[in-house]
Structures are given as structure tokens and as C-alpha cells.
Amino acid sequence: MQVEMTVNGRAMSADVEPRTLLVHYLRDHLGLTGTNVGCDTSSCGACTIHIDGESVKSCTMLAVQARGAEVTTIEGLASNGELHPMQQAFMECHGLQCGYCTPGMVMAATSLLNENPKPSEHEVREGLEGNLCRCTGYHNIVKAVLSASGQGGS
Amino acid sequence: MTTTEQAPSGANIGTRKLRKEDPKLLTGEGKYVDDIHAPGELWMGMVRSTMAHARITGIDTSAAAEADGVHAVYTGADLADMGLWAAPLPCAWPVTADMVNPPHYPVANGEVHHVGEIIALVLADSRYGAADAAEQVVVDYEPLPVVSSIAEARDGDATAHSDLDSNKAYHWPLVPDPDALEAAFANATHVISAEFEQQRLIPAAMEPRGVLAVPSPHGGDITLYSATQVPHILKVMVAATTGIPEMKIRVVAPAVGGGFGAKLNINPDEILAVTLAHRLGRPVRWTETRSEAAFSTHQGRGQLQKIEVAADENGKIGGVRVHIDADMGAYMMLITPGVPLLGSFLYTGVYDVPAFGFTCDGYFTNLTPTDAYRGAGRPEASFAIERAMDLLAARVGVGPDEIRRRNYLNGGEAFENLETASTLVFDSGNYAPNLDAALEMAGYADLRAEQQRRRDAGESKHLGIGLCTYVEICGLAPSRALGGLNYGAGGWEHATVRFLPTGKVEVVSGSTPHGQGHETAWSQIVGDKLGIDPDDVTVLHSDTAISPLGMDTYGSRSLAVGGVAIAMACDKVVDKARLIAAHQLEANPDDLEFAGGAFTVKGSPDKTMPIQGVAYGAFTAHDLPDGMEPNLQEQMTFDPPNFAFPFGTHVCVVEIDEETGNVELLDYTAIDDCGNQVNPLIVEGQVHGGIVQGVAQALWEGASYDAEGNCRNPSFLDYLVPSAMEVPSLKLGSTVTPSTSNPLGVKGVGEAGTIGSAAAVINAICDALSPYGIDDMPMPATPARVWKAIQNAKGGQS
Ligand code: FES
Ligand code: FES
């Protein structure tokens, strides 16, 4: 079936099986491979994207459920060749190593700051609970999010 | 020369340079295996055993074969008949001449030996189609007795392989002086004896493993993309197992999403993808699902340890004796049998131990094979000796810091090239100042006061402070030492450094990063060595067509071997450039100074030539000294003369709620000494991640199996990889004691955090609960376990 949605500001469409997960629609059919898959139990958050401004694990819904939605993936975050402030903060705080959790982590973190622009360290940790990272021990991820919120330097 | 103040720094080495790797990874440009596609690709779907030990009595593939989009279905027998295997999957480390090594083929044929072993596979034209079709294959089994633990393997009647009469795979001793060891125990005032279980761990790199094999049907070449730490080793092993000539094989490790040892194997899926793609002339691929990873990727740890420490009345150690029963799992994978032995040399820790003995028995079980996982043998060793030190402290009646001070090598003072009872020569150490720094940063005296206050007040939230003063072996490895251990390869690393005509520099490295930031760190080294901007350097790696020589990344070896190779190649480049510059400046080479990226005739500052100018001259070759080869490029294969021995002190502070048994991490301090640091930002990141992995072993993780050999917690729903919520911010510092094993004075840091942390956490828990007489806590120390221990202790008191 044909599934259309707006992804990173552009109208997109692909012919997919009805059971296609949104994350596979983005990755395998639209070629937007920045969004990663780290699990099969909706536990890791590697697949986190924004749908109509809210962060969502894209492995937890079907592509058809996002019909007509405004989707933002990690590929849509930087603009005019400039990293988004959250991406910049991750770089400055060394908030990534292998980078596999990073797209999901950055998407979750930007949405966290949209809802709570000045979170405490505890609130950052709580807000990122659904995103697993095996490399960083979270220390520098938390630091990056606090830094992006204008609290504490890098 | 030992300093404890600061790393030596050039313009770049020692600076917190931001990573070159990041912009790509932050924007989704990084390409992992599952992001790469080839036209006409077929997806493998694996049919996995649901039984841990059984004879396969029938496989019905008919429904799967007829399913839409299915290209073929193969059983183990089909593949054997097709003549696809030149040899079984390899074990590169036969630790003894008589080690038992049952043949291990990518697909079982006749008998299965662990849940999840591949029985058949389908090839289909889509991700979902392959998974669906695999589910339609029906397998009939005749169950065989299951060996589901090390204890059963050792003590029970069942054998994990029905054609073996015992589960014992090998016995490996390291007892340099048996008489001295016996005397040490005979003369001891105190003998501490303790047993620990190192539970099995699921490595859980966030990127699941995956493969894509792309053939060129007419040329006979094949390219294997794999989420691997070891493309070079994989290439050799693909040739050995498939019979495809090695020069026809190219292996690429694209962006790799973490490894931690789990991606340094030669796996059934990799070999299947290559052979089938080669045979069919079509690309073949597979991506592991997370729940499948508990079966399709090896696990870590899996040991029963017994450690005995003999000491005099002051707690001064006279001898250490260790025995390990190690769980190999169902098969010997690449370095399965050697992992426990990597730890053997470290059971004496940072201590002056006059007599030492270690023995290890390897056993087969019907569980997923074990192999390297962050630290590989060394966290286990560090755990045992560091737990034993706390037990000894309690026995002697001194603090955990004091017992360590009394036993430090060289009295805690700085040393170089010191031989230990475990036969290794430690490159350098300076342990007491490192401990002092950690205790100060942690606020140790105040913590002890607060602990006492709570105890006096009878509070129900107990404070525990745990120390671990670890040492590890890095810089794997001197090739001769590996030969002595019967390892099947060398431990060198290769580098090429070349100037391009425009003055930019290309570095080719044989080490293979998967998150460690090699591109950044190597550029810093080259920047200082050649006097150029690190941003003018590009680092090529992880593709055997581009970097044909390499021994890859594991064992905290990349910097101490690979980074050093690059530095030495740079020295050779400068040597050649000096000859060219001298020729063109009409000076004696010895009269040239090289600084800031330019050669200058001493005493004639206007007679100067930037190295980029020399490089261009080497490229045009219009005016080179007679007989000199054009171009400015040099190679170096560095074989380290010794290992490197980083060390450090971790201080963990926990709070245990007596009512619930919950252990909360209140604070964590680590002062690591990894020698000179190239990039402290990267060093800290490695330590952070390592600490959390070790803490996770202590508190949350552990692959749990039932008596039938089923893993009870294969997915992220019940295997508790910690989130940001579970861990505190970490306080890090460092001391710097340069290594004598290499000219950069570097030691390696990838595994340090993990090696120090599990013992620190369990020591903290036992410290908190010491008023109850509790001096042991199995891992993971779940609230249920801790609560039960407290209840038992209370019951015992009343
Ligand atoms: S892939 Fe979506 S939560 Fe793990
Ligand atoms: S950076 Fe590797 S998983 Fe987070």
C-alpha cells in the first residue's frame, strides 16, 4: 500500500506492506538510515524520531499509522550545514562514542528540552531513561543536554 | 621517569581535541552494515534450535520453500553436501596441546549443542520474508541430557557433546614455583579462602551484529561488510573456512556500533553470507535481532573462581593460589579457551606476592559459547584479588586502604620494569600516590565519619565505601609472548603514513575503531610528529583493500601498539624528508633542525623548507638525492617489546536500604593511570563507559539459564542494561606514569573502567553490610539478594 508523509519537510511516499514498521519504512524504503534499530522490544530508543513535534520510538508503530504526519529524523535536524545546538553540545561534551545510540539520543534530548527547557540533572536522566547507550556511561550525554539547555559549560 | 602531575603535551598530544568522527555520526551520515544495500540482495533468516542438546531427527522445509519471496532453504546436511566448508569455524587459541575442540560448523548437522544454534536457513528477498519463512521450518528433536552450568559440567554425568566422555576441555597451570607456594601457605598466619562466581554477561553493543556479502560472480571476488572489530583476522579466517583464495576476499568494517569484544569473533552468519553469496552470485545479508543476540553472539565471563591468600600477622602477603573453572559454552570460538588465561597473570594485582599459582579447567556446557567481553579475563582476576584484599583487611583488623599500602609492589613507590611472581615484567607503576589521589577526591575520611554516624544512630540506610586498586594488561601483545601462550597469531600493528602531493597526509592504520575515536587521536599524534595541523590528516582504516595489514582492535591495544606504529612511521617520514631537504638546501642532513613542520639549517634561519614542500619535491621527483625512491611515504610494523600495565584506584559509595535491599550508587571516583594521554577527552569517555559496564555486572546484569539450557532473559525487557537513571555522574582524575614499553609512554585505557569497577561496587556493598557480618555478595547484587542476605544475617543474630 502507498504510504505518504512529510519527512524532514519534504513530501515522501512509498509502496509498502501494511505491516511495515515506521522505522523500516524510513530506513529501507526512504533510505533515511540515520534512525537506528537497537532492539526488538521497544526498549532502547535508538529509533527515536519526532512525529508532529513529539518524540516517538519509530519501531513501536506502523508506517501507516504515521500517514500524513510531519516526521523529523536525525537527518532533518541540522540546517544549512550547521549542526543543531543539541548536536553541537554532544560533540563538545564527547556525548557519543560509537554513535549508534546517538541519533535517537539527540532526538529524545531535543524533545526533552522542548518540554522542559531548564531540566535538572535528575530530570535529564529521567527524561532519557528510554534511551540506552552502551559506550558513554551517560555521563557526557547528561552533560551535553545540560549544556544545550544553557546550564553548565561543556 | 615517573610523574604524577601532567601528561607531556605537544601542540596536539595531550589536548582535548573534539572528535573528527562526530559530525557524521551526529547527523545520520555514518553508515553501519544494516544501512548498506546491494542490488539483488537476499536476506538470510536463521532457523535456530529451541533445544540446548538434542539430536535432530527431522527437518521439514517444504512450507518455507514454497513461501512467497523465498529463494532457497538449506539445512546443515544440504550445506555439507554442497561442499561449502573447507574447515570448521576457527579457534585461534588452542591453549594446550591436548585441548578438546569439537568441530563447529556454521549450521548444525545431526546434533545441536545450545539453544539458538543454527539448524537451517532460508534465503528470501526481504527482511520480513526471511523471518516469516524461517518460522515455517519444522524441526523434530530427540532430546539429550543438558549441561546447563559449570558445576554440572564438572560434577555431573551428562556430557554437552554426546561423543565426548567428559566435559573438560583443558587443564592449564601457571605455577612458577610450587615449593615456594606450598611454603608460603605452610608459614602463613592468615589464610583467606574465597569463592566467587563471575556470571555470564551479554555484551549488548547497541548495534546488533550484521553482515552483507557482495560477490562479483565473474571475477570471483567477494566483499564482506561486517559489524566486526577484526576485519583483518576475519579475512584470513574466511579464506581458511571457505577455501576462497584470500586475495579474492575483501572485508570492510563500516561504522561499527560498539564491540566490547563481542564483535571479535568469526561467526556462522559471516561465513554463511560469504559462501552462499559466492556460490549463488548474489549478495547475501543478515542483521541480528536483539533477542537473537543472546544466541548468535558470544557471551562474556562465566567462571567459578577460588582464591586463597596466605599472609603474615600484619597482613603482608606470602602467596596467592587460584583455581578457576571456566565455562566455554558449547564450542570453542576464536579465543574462547584463552580468555580466562588472559587474567591469570593478574591475580597478584598490584601487590608484592612472593609466591603464586594459578590453574584453570575449561568445561563445555550446552550454553551459548563464551569469548572476550570488555576486559576478557582481567576484570575477573581483579575482582577476585580485590575482594580477597578486603577480606584480608577485615581478618587483620586494618582498613582496606591500609592493607593495600602494606602490600603494594615496591612499597607503593615508583618503579620501572619490575618482575612479578606471575612471571610478567610490569612496565611502570606508582601506586601509593594514585590511591592517595583517589581517597582525597572521594573525601574518604568524611565518608568514613558519615558511615560511623549512621551506624551509631542506628539508621536503616547503610553507607558502604568500596575500594579497588586494579592493574591490567594492555598493549596486546608482544608476538613472542603470544607464541609462548600458543596463540595463533602475532600481536604487532601496522601503519603507513604518506604525504599527498598537496601537503595533506593520509594515514593507513591496521587498528579498527568502533567508537574509540582513532581518527582524532591518530591525527593528533601525526600532527605533533610532522608539525602539521591534525585537520590536514585523514585516517584510513577498517577495509582490507585500503589497509591490507592489521591486527585490529581489542585488548586496549590500539594506542599502545597501533598508535605507536603511526608515531614511528612518522619518524621514518621525517628521516627521509630530512635527506631530501638537505639535498635541496645543499646542507648536511645533520645540520638540519626539524621543528614546527619545517627543516631549517642550524644557524641559517632563512635556509628553510616546510615539510609539505619536501613532500611535493618527493612527488615530482625532479631533484632527489641519487638513488632515492620518489614520494614521501613510510610504513611501520610495531611489535611491542612488552605489554603495558595501566592501573588505578576506584572508590565506590553505595547506600543500601535495609528495608528493600536496594543498592543506590551515591558517588563514584576513579583515578586511572594510563600513562601519557593523547586525548584526555577520549580517555575520560572510555573510563566512563567502562565503569558503567563493570557496575552493571555488579548490580544488574547476568544471563540466567534454566535447567534445560534456556536463557531466561535474552531481550532488553529482562536483561537489564542500565539507563541514565541508574548511574550517577562520575568523578574522574588521573595520575601519569609513562610506560616503558613504547616510545610514546602510553598504556591503553579501553578496558580500565570495567576492570576496576565490579570489585569496587561489591566491596562497597560488603562494607555497608559488615555490621551484619556479611562479607560476600553474589553478582548481580539485586535488591532481592541483598535483602535476603540482610534477613538471613538478622535471623542468625536473634
Ligand atoms: S529499536 Fe526502537 S526502541 Fe529499540
Ligand atoms: S555511543 Fe555507542 S551506544 Fe551510545
Side-chain angles (χ1 to χ4, degrees), chain A residues 63-94:
Chain A
V64 288
Q65 293 173 289
R67 256 190 176 153
E70 295 268 348
V71 169
T72 308
T73 68
I74 192 71
E75 288 92 342
L77 214 56
S79 56
N80 307 324
E82 295 272 311
L83 294 180
H84 181 279
M86 185 63 75
Q87 291 168 317
Q88 189 66 35
F90 266 65
M91 176 151 170
E92 280 165 14
C93 298
H94 188 29

PDB file of all heavy atoms in Angstrom, chain A residues 63-94:
ATOM      1  N   ALA A  63       4.122   2.158   9.738  1.00  0.00           N
ATOM      2  CA  ALA A  63       4.239   3.317   8.850  1.00  0.00           C
ATOM      3  C   ALA A  63       2.859   3.901   8.570  1.00  0.00           C
ATOM      4  O   ALA A  63       2.685   5.130   8.573  1.00  0.00           O
ATOM      5  CB  ALA A  63       4.936   2.911   7.556  1.00  0.00           C
ATOM      6  N   VAL A  64       1.874   3.045   8.360  1.00  0.00           N
ATOM      7  CA  VAL A  64       0.539   3.578   8.024  1.00  0.00           C
ATOM      8  C   VAL A  64      -0.038   4.441   9.125  1.00  0.00           C
ATOM      9  O   VAL A  64      -0.819   5.353   8.855  1.00  0.00           O
ATOM     10  CB  VAL A  64      -0.488   2.461   7.714  1.00  0.00           C
ATOM     11  CG1 VAL A  64      -0.191   1.805   6.384  1.00  0.00           C
ATOM     12  CG2 VAL A  64      -0.565   1.444   8.820  1.00  0.00           C
ATOM     13  N   GLN A  65       0.357   4.169  10.364  1.00  0.00           N
ATOM     14  CA  GLN A  65      -0.164   4.985  11.471  1.00  0.00           C
ATOM     15  C   GLN A  65       0.375   6.405  11.424  1.00  0.00           C
ATOM     16  O   GLN A  65      -0.160   7.286  12.094  1.00  0.00           O
ATOM     17  CB  GLN A  65       0.187   4.346  12.817  1.00  0.00           C
ATOM     18  CG  GLN A  65      -0.520   3.031  13.058  1.00  0.00           C
ATOM     19  CD  GLN A  65      -0.002   2.367  14.325  1.00  0.00           C
ATOM     20  OE1 GLN A  65       1.115   1.890  14.366  1.00  0.00           O
ATOM     21  NE2 GLN A  65      -0.831   2.328  15.362  1.00  0.00           N
ATOM     22  N   ALA A  66       1.447   6.601  10.672  1.00  0.00           N
ATOM     23  CA  ALA A  66       2.026   7.944  10.587  1.00  0.00           C
ATOM     24  C   ALA A  66       1.619   8.641   9.292  1.00  0.00           C
ATOM     25  O   ALA A  66       2.174   9.677   8.932  1.00  0.00           O
ATOM     26  CB  ALA A  66       3.540   7.858  10.688  1.00  0.00           C
ATOM     27  N   ARG A  67       0.665   8.063   8.584  1.00  0.00           N
ATOM     28  CA  ARG A  67       0.181   8.681   7.346  1.00  0.00           C
ATOM     29  C   ARG A  67      -0.168  10.144   7.559  1.00  0.00           C
ATOM     30  O   ARG A  67      -0.889  10.476   8.491  1.00  0.00           O
ATOM     31  CB  ARG A  67      -1.100   7.974   6.910  1.00  0.00           C
ATOM     32  CG  ARG A  67      -0.886   7.057   5.778  1.00  0.00           C
ATOM     33  CD  ARG A  67      -2.222   6.595   5.258  1.00  0.00           C
ATOM     34  NE  ARG A  67      -1.990   5.770   4.095  1.00  0.00           N
ATOM     35  CZ  ARG A  67      -2.805   4.824   3.707  1.00  0.00           C
ATOM     36  NH1 ARG A  67      -3.903   4.565   4.388  1.00  0.00           N
ATOM     37  NH2 ARG A  67      -2.538   4.124   2.624  1.00  0.00           N
ATOM     38  N   GLY A  68       0.364  10.971   6.696  1.00  0.00           N
ATOM     39  CA  GLY A  68       0.010  12.393   6.764  1.00  0.00           C
ATOM     40  C   GLY A  68       0.712  13.171   7.863  1.00  0.00           C
ATOM     41  O   GLY A  68       0.522  14.373   8.004  1.00  0.00           O
ATOM     42  N   ALA A  69       1.526  12.498   8.660  1.00  0.00           N
ATOM     43  CA  ALA A  69       2.169  13.189   9.782  1.00  0.00           C
ATOM     44  C   ALA A  69       3.393  13.974   9.316  1.00  0.00           C
ATOM     45  O   ALA A  69       3.883  13.792   8.204  1.00  0.00           O
ATOM     46  CB  ALA A  69       2.587  12.177  10.837  1.00  0.00           C
ATOM     47  N   GLU A  70       3.835  14.867  10.202  1.00  0.00           N
ATOM     48  CA  GLU A  70       5.095  15.588   9.991  1.00  0.00           C
ATOM     49  C   GLU A  70       6.160  14.859  10.783  1.00  0.00           C
ATOM     50  O   GLU A  70       6.117  14.850  12.020  1.00  0.00           O
ATOM     51  CB  GLU A  70       5.008  17.007  10.561  1.00  0.00           C
ATOM     52  CG  GLU A  70       4.029  17.930   9.896  1.00  0.00           C
ATOM     53  CD  GLU A  70       4.703  18.735   8.783  1.00  0.00           C
ATOM     54  OE1 GLU A  70       5.960  18.706   8.715  1.00  0.00           O
ATOM     55  OE2 GLU A  70       3.978  19.359   7.998  1.00  0.00           O
ATOM     56  N   VAL A  71       7.092  14.252  10.080  1.00  0.00           N
ATOM     57  CA  VAL A  71       8.114  13.455  10.737  1.00  0.00           C
ATOM     58  C   VAL A  71       9.456  14.162  10.638  1.00  0.00           C
ATOM     59  O   VAL A  71       9.797  14.703   9.586  1.00  0.00           O
ATOM     60  CB  VAL A  71       8.189  12.056  10.081  1.00  0.00           C
ATOM     61  CG1 VAL A  71       9.417  11.303  10.559  1.00  0.00           C
ATOM     62  CG2 VAL A  71       6.921  11.267  10.372  1.00  0.00           C
ATOM     63  N   THR A  72      10.190  14.188  11.741  1.00  0.00           N
ATOM     64  CA  THR A  72      11.571  14.678  11.680  1.00  0.00           C
ATOM     65  C   THR A  72      12.497  13.559  12.133  1.00  0.00           C
ATOM     66  O   THR A  72      12.266  12.961  13.186  1.00  0.00           O
ATOM     67  CB  THR A  72      11.783  15.906  12.593  1.00  0.00           C
ATOM     68  OG1 THR A  72      10.783  16.867  12.273  1.00  0.00           O
ATOM     69  CG2 THR A  72      13.160  16.515  12.383  1.00  0.00           C
ATOM     70  N   THR A  73      13.509  13.291  11.332  1.00  0.00           N
ATOM     71  CA  THR A  73      14.527  12.310  11.707  1.00  0.00           C
ATOM     72  C   THR A  73      15.840  13.054  11.937  1.00  0.00           C
ATOM     73  O   THR A  73      15.934  14.262  11.685  1.00  0.00           O
ATOM     74  CB  THR A  73      14.749  11.266  10.594  1.00  0.00           C
ATOM     75  OG1 THR A  73      15.364  11.925   9.481  1.00  0.00           O
ATOM     76  CG2 THR A  73      13.433  10.625  10.162  1.00  0.00           C
ATOM     77  N   ILE A  74      16.834  12.326  12.369  1.00  0.00           N
ATOM     78  CA  ILE A  74      18.124  12.941  12.653  1.00  0.00           C
ATOM     79  C   ILE A  74      18.662  13.676  11.424  1.00  0.00           C
ATOM     80  O   ILE A  74      19.318  14.708  11.542  1.00  0.00           O
ATOM     81  CB  ILE A  74      19.147  11.897  13.170  1.00  0.00           C
ATOM     82  CG1 ILE A  74      20.390  12.554  13.742  1.00  0.00           C
ATOM     83  CG2 ILE A  74      19.527  10.884  12.076  1.00  0.00           C
ATOM     84  CD1 ILE A  74      20.194  13.266  15.036  1.00  0.00           C
ATOM     85  N   GLU A  75      18.325  13.177  10.232  1.00  0.00           N
ATOM     86  CA  GLU A  75      18.812  13.826   9.001  1.00  0.00           C
ATOM     87  C   GLU A  75      18.211  15.218   8.832  1.00  0.00           C
ATOM     88  O   GLU A  75      18.747  16.032   8.073  1.00  0.00           O
ATOM     89  CB  GLU A  75      18.467  12.987   7.761  1.00  0.00           C
ATOM     90  CG  GLU A  75      19.271  11.707   7.606  1.00  0.00           C
ATOM     91  CD  GLU A  75      18.615  10.477   8.232  1.00  0.00           C
ATOM     92  OE1 GLU A  75      17.706  10.662   9.090  1.00  0.00           O
ATOM     93  OE2 GLU A  75      19.004   9.348   7.882  1.00  0.00           O
ATOM     94  N   GLY A  76      17.102  15.478   9.547  1.00  0.00           N
ATOM     95  CA  GLY A  76      16.430  16.768   9.375  1.00  0.00           C
ATOM     96  C   GLY A  76      16.776  17.785  10.446  1.00  0.00           C
ATOM     97  O   GLY A  76      16.200  18.868  10.486  1.00  0.00           O
ATOM     98  N   LEU A  77      17.706  17.448  11.317  1.00  0.00           N
ATOM     99  CA  LEU A  77      17.957  18.318  12.468  1.00  0.00           C
ATOM    100  C   LEU A  77      18.945  19.449  12.167  1.00  0.00           C
ATOM    101  O   LEU A  77      18.726  20.597  12.545  1.00  0.00           O
ATOM    102  CB  LEU A  77      18.460  17.479  13.644  1.00  0.00           C
ATOM    103  CG  LEU A  77      18.039  17.951  15.024  1.00  0.00           C
ATOM    104  CD1 LEU A  77      16.531  18.066  15.127  1.00  0.00           C
ATOM    105  CD2 LEU A  77      18.569  16.990  16.083  1.00  0.00           C
ATOM    106  N   ALA A  78      20.024  19.118  11.504  1.00  0.00           N
ATOM    107  CA  ALA A  78      20.993  20.154  11.140  1.00  0.00           C
ATOM    108  C   ALA A  78      20.379  20.981  10.014  1.00  0.00           C
ATOM    109  O   ALA A  78      19.623  20.455   9.207  1.00  0.00           O
ATOM    110  CB  ALA A  78      22.289  19.519  10.676  1.00  0.00           C
ATOM    111  N   SER A  79      20.675  22.294  10.009  1.00  0.00           N
ATOM    112  CA  SER A  79      20.140  23.067   8.887  1.00  0.00           C
ATOM    113  C   SER A  79      21.220  23.974   8.315  1.00  0.00           C
ATOM    114  O   SER A  79      22.046  24.501   9.065  1.00  0.00           O
ATOM    115  CB  SER A  79      18.917  23.876   9.324  1.00  0.00           C
ATOM    116  OG  SER A  79      19.246  24.685  10.412  1.00  0.00           O
ATOM    117  N   ASN A  80      21.168  24.150   7.023  1.00  0.00           N
ATOM    118  CA  ASN A  80      22.154  24.980   6.302  1.00  0.00           C
ATOM    119  C   ASN A  80      23.588  24.610   6.666  1.00  0.00           C
ATOM    120  O   ASN A  80      24.429  25.478   6.863  1.00  0.00           O
ATOM    121  CB  ASN A  80      21.934  26.470   6.600  1.00  0.00           C
ATOM    122  CG  ASN A  80      20.499  26.884   6.341  1.00  0.00           C
ATOM    123  OD1 ASN A  80      19.885  26.383   5.399  1.00  0.00           O
ATOM    124  ND2 ASN A  80      19.957  27.739   7.179  1.00  0.00           N
ATOM    125  N   GLY A  81      23.821  23.327   6.802  1.00  0.00           N
ATOM    126  CA  GLY A  81      25.185  22.906   7.089  1.00  0.00           C
ATOM    127  C   GLY A  81      25.629  23.154   8.520  1.00  0.00           C
ATOM    128  O   GLY A  81      26.772  22.898   8.872  1.00  0.00           O
ATOM    129  N   GLU A  82      24.739  23.658   9.365  1.00  0.00           N
ATOM    130  CA  GLU A  82      25.078  23.916  10.773  1.00  0.00           C
ATOM    131  C   GLU A  82      24.451  22.832  11.633  1.00  0.00           C
ATOM    132  O   GLU A  82      23.254  22.555  11.504  1.00  0.00           O
ATOM    133  CB  GLU A  82      24.460  25.259  11.223  1.00  0.00           C
ATOM    134  CG  GLU A  82      25.016  26.475  10.530  1.00  0.00           C
ATOM    135  CD  GLU A  82      26.239  27.024  11.258  1.00  0.00           C
ATOM    136  OE1 GLU A  82      26.154  27.201  12.478  1.00  0.00           O
ATOM    137  OE2 GLU A  82      27.261  27.229  10.584  1.00  0.00           O
ATOM    138  N   LEU A  83      25.250  22.302  12.550  1.00  0.00           N
ATOM    139  CA  LEU A  83      24.681  21.353  13.483  1.00  0.00           C
ATOM    140  C   LEU A  83      23.640  22.044  14.357  1.00  0.00           C
ATOM    141  O   LEU A  83      23.768  23.226  14.682  1.00  0.00           O
ATOM    142  CB  LEU A  83      25.776  20.765  14.385  1.00  0.00           C
ATOM    143  CG  LEU A  83      26.842  19.882  13.728  1.00  0.00           C
ATOM    144  CD1 LEU A  83      27.839  19.397  14.788  1.00  0.00           C
ATOM    145  CD2 LEU A  83      26.232  18.694  12.999  1.00  0.00           C
ATOM    146  N   HIS A  84      22.612  21.306  14.723  1.00  0.00           N
ATOM    147  CA  HIS A  84      21.628  21.770  15.714  1.00  0.00           C
ATOM    148  C   HIS A  84      22.375  21.964  17.050  1.00  0.00           C
ATOM    149  O   HIS A  84      23.337  21.246  17.328  1.00  0.00           O
ATOM    150  CB  HIS A  84      20.549  20.691  15.822  1.00  0.00           C
ATOM    151  CG  HIS A  84      19.446  20.996  16.782  1.00  0.00           C
ATOM    152  ND1 HIS A  84      19.562  20.809  18.139  1.00  0.00           N
ATOM    153  CD2 HIS A  84      18.180  21.456  16.572  1.00  0.00           C
ATOM    154  CE1 HIS A  84      18.422  21.143  18.732  1.00  0.00           C
ATOM    155  NE2 HIS A  84      17.565  21.540  17.797  1.00  0.00           N
ATOM    156  N   PRO A  85      21.949  22.905  17.872  1.00  0.00           N
ATOM    157  CA  PRO A  85      22.666  23.121  19.148  1.00  0.00           C
ATOM    158  C   PRO A  85      22.822  21.846  19.970  1.00  0.00           C
ATOM    159  O   PRO A  85      23.831  21.673  20.677  1.00  0.00           O
ATOM    160  CB  PRO A  85      21.783  24.137  19.879  1.00  0.00           C
ATOM    161  CG  PRO A  85      21.044  24.856  18.800  1.00  0.00           C
ATOM    162  CD  PRO A  85      20.883  23.884  17.663  1.00  0.00           C
ATOM    163  N   MET A  86      21.858  20.946  19.899  1.00  0.00           N
ATOM    164  CA  MET A  86      21.988  19.705  20.663  1.00  0.00           C
ATOM    165  C   MET A  86      23.099  18.836  20.070  1.00  0.00           C
ATOM    166  O   MET A  86      23.898  18.238  20.803  1.00  0.00           O
ATOM    167  CB  MET A  86      20.660  18.936  20.674  1.00  0.00           C
ATOM    168  CG  MET A  86      20.682  17.695  21.561  1.00  0.00           C
ATOM    169  SD  MET A  86      20.951  18.097  23.309  1.00  0.00           S
ATOM    170  CE  MET A  86      19.330  18.740  23.742  1.00  0.00           C
ATOM    171  N   GLN A  87      23.156  18.783  18.751  1.00  0.00           N
ATOM    172  CA  GLN A  87      24.240  18.016  18.113  1.00  0.00           C
ATOM    173  C   GLN A  87      25.590  18.625  18.478  1.00  0.00           C
ATOM    174  O   GLN A  87      26.552  17.931  18.794  1.00  0.00           O
ATOM    175  CB  GLN A  87      24.047  18.013  16.587  1.00  0.00           C
ATOM    176  CG  GLN A  87      22.842  17.195  16.135  1.00  0.00           C
ATOM    177  CD  GLN A  87      22.501  17.425  14.674  1.00  0.00           C
ATOM    178  OE1 GLN A  87      22.511  18.559  14.188  1.00  0.00           O
ATOM    179  NE2 GLN A  87      22.177  16.348  13.969  1.00  0.00           N
ATOM    180  N   GLN A  88      25.635  19.940  18.449  1.00  0.00           N
ATOM    181  CA  GLN A  88      26.876  20.645  18.787  1.00  0.00           C
ATOM    182  C   GLN A  88      27.296  20.336  20.231  1.00  0.00           C
ATOM    183  O   GLN A  88      28.463  20.075  20.515  1.00  0.00           O
ATOM    184  CB  GLN A  88      26.636  22.160  18.602  1.00  0.00           C
ATOM    185  CG  GLN A  88      27.885  23.010  18.702  1.00  0.00           C
ATOM    186  CD  GLN A  88      28.876  22.744  17.568  1.00  0.00           C
ATOM    187  OE1 GLN A  88      28.466  22.471  16.439  1.00  0.00           O
ATOM    188  NE2 GLN A  88      30.169  22.769  17.868  1.00  0.00           N
ATOM    189  N   ALA A  89      26.309  20.321  21.116  1.00  0.00           N
ATOM    190  CA  ALA A  89      26.611  20.055  22.533  1.00  0.00           C
ATOM    191  C   ALA A  89      27.117  18.621  22.707  1.00  0.00           C
ATOM    192  O   ALA A  89      28.042  18.379  23.486  1.00  0.00           O
ATOM    193  CB  ALA A  89      25.368  20.288  23.385  1.00  0.00           C
ATOM    194  N   PHE A  90      26.531  17.697  21.993  1.00  0.00           N
ATOM    195  CA  PHE A  90      27.015  16.311  22.074  1.00  0.00           C
ATOM    196  C   PHE A  90      28.463  16.234  21.615  1.00  0.00           C
ATOM    197  O   PHE A  90      29.282  15.533  22.192  1.00  0.00           O
ATOM    198  CB  PHE A  90      26.145  15.367  21.211  1.00  0.00           C
ATOM    199  CG  PHE A  90      25.033  14.707  21.979  1.00  0.00           C
ATOM    200  CD1 PHE A  90      23.999  15.459  22.516  1.00  0.00           C
ATOM    201  CD2 PHE A  90      25.009  13.326  22.177  1.00  0.00           C
ATOM    202  CE1 PHE A  90      22.964  14.856  23.237  1.00  0.00           C
ATOM    203  CE2 PHE A  90      23.987  12.715  22.898  1.00  0.00           C
ATOM    204  CZ  PHE A  90      22.965  13.485  23.422  1.00  0.00           C
ATOM    205  N   MET A  91      28.779  16.965  20.569  1.00  0.00           N
ATOM    206  CA  MET A  91      30.154  16.949  20.073  1.00  0.00           C
ATOM    207  C   MET A  91      31.104  17.580  21.101  1.00  0.00           C
ATOM    208  O   MET A  91      32.147  17.013  21.420  1.00  0.00           O
ATOM    209  CB  MET A  91      30.222  17.702  18.748  1.00  0.00           C
ATOM    210  CG  MET A  91      31.620  17.824  18.201  1.00  0.00           C
ATOM    211  SD  MET A  91      31.595  17.918  16.404  1.00  0.00           S
ATOM    212  CE  MET A  91      33.289  18.360  16.111  1.00  0.00           C
ATOM    213  N   GLU A  92      30.706  18.713  21.623  1.00  0.00           N
ATOM    214  CA  GLU A  92      31.606  19.428  22.545  1.00  0.00           C
ATOM    215  C   GLU A  92      31.801  18.687  23.866  1.00  0.00           C
ATOM    216  O   GLU A  92      32.852  18.776  24.480  1.00  0.00           O
ATOM    217  CB  GLU A  92      31.098  20.856  22.788  1.00  0.00           C
ATOM    218  CG  GLU A  92      31.482  21.754  21.626  1.00  0.00           C
ATOM    219  CD  GLU A  92      30.740  23.074  21.593  1.00  0.00           C
ATOM    220  OE1 GLU A  92      30.111  23.426  22.610  1.00  0.00           O
ATOM    221  OE2 GLU A  92      30.796  23.737  20.539  1.00  0.00           O
ATOM    222  N   CYS A  93      30.777  17.956  24.283  1.00  0.00           N
ATOM    223  CA  CYS A  93      30.882  17.231  25.568  1.00  0.00           C
ATOM    224  C   CYS A  93      31.314  15.784  25.374  1.00  0.00           C
ATOM    225  O   CYS A  93      31.313  15.026  26.337  1.00  0.00           O
ATOM    226  CB  CYS A  93      29.549  17.273  26.298  1.00  0.00           C
ATOM    227  SG  CYS A  93      29.034  18.928  26.712  1.00  0.00           S
ATOM    228  N   HIS A  94      31.643  15.392  24.168  1.00  0.00           N
ATOM    229  CA  HIS A  94      32.004  13.995  23.890  1.00  0.00           C
ATOM    230  C   HIS A  94      30.874  13.060  24.349  1.00  0.00           C
ATOM    231  O   HIS A  94      31.108  12.075  25.041  1.00  0.00           O
ATOM    232  CB  HIS A  94      33.341  13.640  24.578  1.00  0.00           C
ATOM    233  CG  HIS A  94      33.886  12.286  24.202  1.00  0.00           C
ATOM    234  ND1 HIS A  94      33.657  11.672  23.000  1.00  0.00           N
ATOM    235  CD2 HIS A  94      34.647  11.413  24.912  1.00  0.00           C
ATOM    236  CE1 HIS A  94      34.258  10.494  22.976  1.00  0.00           C
ATOM    237  NE2 HIS A  94      34.859  10.304  24.123  1.00  0.00           N
TER     238      HIS A  94
END
